[in-house]
Amino acid sequence: MNINITLLPYLLIFTSLIPALLAIRLAKKQKRSAMTSGAVTFAFGFTWIGGWLYLAVMNFLPPKRVEK
């Protein structure tokens, strides 16, 4: 498969932006830091598969308990 430079923005959206948005949504559901989860997933997204892997790991973690 030949990857042209014009495809790079679309690849970066798929590998970093989409997982980051999904991680923010999941972090809010699990009562975690949405900013940190989104930033880490976005940074890992530049490794092409890291953002999706981090999102999968986050999905398997139990929700954080809120202490009163």
Side-chain angles (χ1 to χ4, degrees):
M1 185 171 121
N2 191 9
I3 297 176
N4 197 352
I5 194 70
T6 58
L7 291 177
L8 191 60
Y10 301 112
L11 289 174
L12 288 177
I13 286 173
F14 182 74
T15 62
S16 61
L17 190 61
I18 293 173
L21 293 174
L22 291 173
I24 289 170
R25 183 173 171 254
L26 181 63
K28 286 181 181 178
K29 280 185 176 180
Q30 291 185 344
K31 308 231 185 301
R32 298 184 183 276
S33 173
M35 179 88 162
T36 303
S37 297
V40 169
T41 308
F42 184 75
F44 281 158
F46 287 105
T47 63
W48 299 92
I49 193 72
W52 290 107
L53 288 176
Y54 183 74
L55 184 61
V57 168
M58 246 181 77
N59 205 10
F60 287 118
L61 291 176
K64 200 170 192 180
R65 294 185 182 186
V66 178
E67 306 254 343
K68 290 184 181 181

